[in-house]
Amino acid sequence: MDLLQDLLLAFLGIVIVNNLVLTKFLGICPYLGVSGRIDMAFGMGCAVTFVVTLAGTLTWLIDHLLLMPYGLEVMRYVCFILVIAGAVQLVEMYVRKFFPALYESFGIFLPLITTNCAILGLCLFINLWEIDNLLEAVVLSVGAGIGFTLAICIMAGIRENLELADVPGPLRGAPITLITAGLLTLAFMGFAGMI
Amino acid sequence: MANTAPALKKTFLAGLWDENPVLRLLLGMCPTLAVTAAVKPALTMGLSVIFVLTCSNIVVSLMRHLLKPHLRILMFTLTIATFVTIADLFLKAFQPEMSDQLGPYIPLIIVNCIIICRAEACASKNGLVVSIVDALGMGLGFTLTLCVLAGVRELLATGKVFEIPVLWDGFLPWAAMGMPVGAFITLGLLLAGVNAIAQKEN
């Protein structure tokens, strides 16, 4: 039961308390760029969740089975980015072959996930927090993806309503989005210290 | 783009204002928000980005004739990852405190969109000199923006700039400016200011 409790706490921690987008500033580009409509935001969130789960698990395995035993830590960043680029390519091929409709709706956003810093950021955080348990690494990866989806969907919901508001000229577009994001972060700060 | 002095100067200045990566192109937002709680880490981040950007632009510019279209992004990323590793190890060796403070944001330069954007838009199409000048202009534009943002936030959050007290004694620090909220809202207002100036210019 202890293990289950630890995993549950780790999951809640990464989804709400240490949300990568709102407290660690990772994945801001898609967060600001793709959050115009809620259905696209949700699709992006799902794709990121899938890739981050795959990448987080694979980089943990490579780090612990290959790089650490042979003292190749210098190669860590190069390996990580290769794994992520490979995972994204794999997902792209798989989705194109088996779900062509979904592939059409993702469009350019699928390859762009490679340069989503939330994914590389999570792999680096798993390394930094010295997670030495595969199960925990997997749970953290899934949680990071779900946290990203949560943040981007909330943002998209707000922005859909913001379109009807009368925003002063210079604030239109990116500035008002950033200020909205700031207020959202303020709300999420209420969870800090919960775990 | 020609190699004449006025053209080079124009390329250099474009990075500072007309095509400022953060304020105009909205690139590299993650480090912009994450490391600007104080001026010192912001400056370290800016200098690291200038180093990586210049080196990767040089390498990409030299190998631009050998690049295959479908493999180019991968080659860019690998080049960048190599130089980021160098910068990271350098900081760990000579600035260990700063390296601890910046944490994963130095390795995250790999996925900083400014660098991939310049490799794709400039270095893979231009010669060595233009690429270097472009990298320096863009890098300096990024560093200056980071320092302005960090200066405002550090001043309001602690009453100091570059760890030197500047405000009066009884100043009540705005704790929120040092937190993520301050980062988003300050950058939002800065962008609004830049938009207002740009609209007046036109």
Side-chain angles (χ1 to χ4, degrees):
Chain A
M1 276 314 278
D2 273 357
L3 179 70
L4 201 65
Q5 197 181 352
D6 283 350
L7 290 181
L8 197 66
L9 281 182
F11 179 76
L12 281 180
I14 195 96
V15 174
I16 297 175
V17 183
N18 287 324
N19 188 299
L20 287 184
V21 180
L22 298 171
T23 63
K24 302 270 187 269
F25 307 108
L26 297 172
I28 296 292
C29 301
Y31 180 58
L32 299 179
V34 195
S35 58
R37 276 179 34 224
I38 206 159
D39 50 340
M40 258 159 69
F42 186 70
M44 184 70 181
C46 290
V48 168
T49 307
F50 189 80
V51 176
V52 82
T53 309
L54 208 62
T57 314
L58 279 176
T59 49
W60 188 90
L61 286 173
I62 289 179
D63 211 19
H64 282 76
L65 299 181
L66 208 66
L67 297 181
M68 284 183 181
Y70 296 103
L72 290 171
E73 280 94 345
V74 175
M75 295 292 291
R76 188 172 279 144
Y77 306 150
V78 178
C79 280
F80 280 16
I81 195 74
L82 262 183
V83 167
I84 294 169
V88 172
Q89 196 78 45
L90 204 73
V91 171
E92 199 185 342
M93 273 153 55
Y94 179 79
V95 172
R96 182 160 53 187
K97 178 101 173 131
F98 293 102
F99 306 99
L102 195 66
Y103 181 77
E104 288 297 314
S105 63
F106 274 157
I108 180 73
F109 299 124
L110 215 49
L112 272 185
I113 296 176
T114 312
T115 53
N116 184 331
C117 33
I119 294 169
L120 183 63
L122 178 85
C123 300
L124 293 168
F125 270 119
I126 286 182
N127 175 259
L128 197 73
W129 293 332
E130 289 168 357
I131 307 293
D132 47 11
N133 171 333
L134 177 62
L135 209 56
E136 205 175 339
V138 176
V139 167
L140 280 178
S141 309
V142 180
I146 291 176
F148 179 82
T149 314
L150 184 73
I152 200 171
C153 284
I154 295 176
M155 191 64 187
I158 297 176
R159 279 184 70 183
E160 278 189 351
N161 284 309
L162 209 59
E163 272 178 18
L164 305 173
D166 182 25
V167 179
L171 277 173
R172 272 189 204 132
I176 193 73
T177 313
L178 277 166
I179 292 172
T180 315
L183 296 178
L184 202 56
T185 313
L186 198 62
F188 265 73
M189 259 166 69
F191 293 112
M194 205 172 72
I195 292 177
Chain B
M1 275 182 260
N3 265 351
T4 54
L8 285 179
K9 195 177 159 203
K10 208 176 151 206
T11 313
F12 182 74
L13 289 178
L16 294 185
W17 179 253
D18 286 337
E19 289 178 29
N20 185 301
V22 178
L23 300 175
R24 293 302 185 79
L25 307 179
L26 301 180
L27 295 174
M29 300 299 259
C30 310
T32 308
L33 293 164
V35 302
T36 50
V39 179
K40 222 172 151 188
L43 196 62
T44 318
M45 184 69 180
L47 293 178
S48 314
V49 167
I50 292 184
F51 166 75
V52 176
L53 185 55
T54 315
C55 293
S56 73
N57 257 15
I58 291 173
V59 172
V60 169
S61 173
L62 287 177
M63 67 179 187
R64 66 184 189 277
H65 300 298
L66 303 170
L67 289 173
K68 301 270 179 295
H70 57 285
L71 282 178
R72 66 177 200 288
I73 299 287
L74 187 67
M75 290 311 295
F76 294 165
T77 323
L78 286 182
T79 316
I80 297 165
T82 313
F83 287 114
V84 169
T85 309
I86 297 173
D88 186 53
L89 291 176
F90 179 84
L91 281 181
K92 270 194 186 129
F94 295 100
Q95 295 280 333
E97 278 171 34
M98 198 39 75
S99 173
D100 277 351
Q101 198 185 337
L102 287 171
Y105 295 103
I106 288 290
L108 278 172
I109 297 177
I110 300 173
V111 284
N112 190 324
C113 5
I114 296 173
I115 300 176
I116 297 185
C117 166
R118 290 336 286 172
E120 167 81 17
C122 177
S124 62
K125 296 192 185 88
N126 288 297
L128 194 58
V129 181
V130 177
S131 302
I132 295 175
V133 170
D134 179 81
L136 289 176
M138 281 285 164
L140 208 61
F142 178 72
T143 311
L144 283 179
T145 315
L146 243 62
C147 287
V148 169
L149 196 58
V152 174
R153 283 185 64 197
E154 194 180 354
L155 181 73
L156 294 176
T158 61
K160 299 170 186 169
V161 171
F162 216 78
E163 292 171 7
I164 302 161
V166 282
L167 290 183
W168 61 96
D169 276 341
F171 176 73
L172 199 62
W174 304 8
M177 290 308 272
M179 293 179 189
V181 192
F184 279 114
I185 291 181
T186 317
L187 184 60
L189 294 177
L190 194 66
L191 280 180
V194 169
N195 279 353
I197 296 173
Q199 277 170 9
K200 230 173 222 167
E201 267 182 358
N202 295 332

